[in-house]
Amino acid sequence: TNDRKSLIFSQKIAKMEANSRYSQVRMIDQGISQKEISKTLGIDKGYVSRVKSEAIRKGFLTRTGGLTSKGTTAIHSGVSAA
């Protein structure tokens, strides 16, 4: 049915967005600039900034952009890091 197809599509989009956030958090941890991340992933620089701020607020990144132990665990266990 169309409802099922819509649900599957929404789940795929959510997974892609989560993977993008994981990628962004890992790249920030590697010292890659937000500008370079946005260019590499083809996303808005403001979105990268929001993901970084949320990851810091949730305790996954330090204010200087390094992964915390909580962030490392989240990335490796599949918990949303942002």
Side-chain angles (χ1 to χ4, degrees), residues 22-49:
Y22 292 136
S23 296
Q24 291 174 63
V25 169
R26 282 194 296 264
M27 292 169 87
I28 292 166
D29 176 57
Q30 293 169 357
I32 300 170
S33 72
Q34 292 180 29
K35 181 179 179 180
E36 189 61 35
I37 293 168
S38 68
K39 269 186 6 185
T40 300
L41 299 178
I43 56 179
D44 184 73
K45 186 178 172 223
Y47 180 66
V48 177
S49 179

Side-chain angles (χ1 to χ4, degrees), residues 3-17:
D3 288 341
R4 179 155 169 71
K5 287 179 182 178
S6 292
L7 177 63
I8 291 169
F9 180 74
S10 295
Q11 289 171 337
K12 286 182 180 181
I13 294 296
K15 188 173 183 177
M16 287 171 44
E17 288 175 352

Side-chain angles (χ1 to χ4, degrees), residues 52-79:
K52 179 180 179 182
S53 294
E54 187 174 351
I56 291 169
R57 185 178 54 75
K58 289 182 174 181
F60 296 115
L61 284 174
T62 64
R63 294 219 176 269
T64 58
L67 270 178
T68 63
S69 60
K70 182 178 180 181
T72 300
T73 300
I75 292 286
H76 294 293
S77 68
V79 173

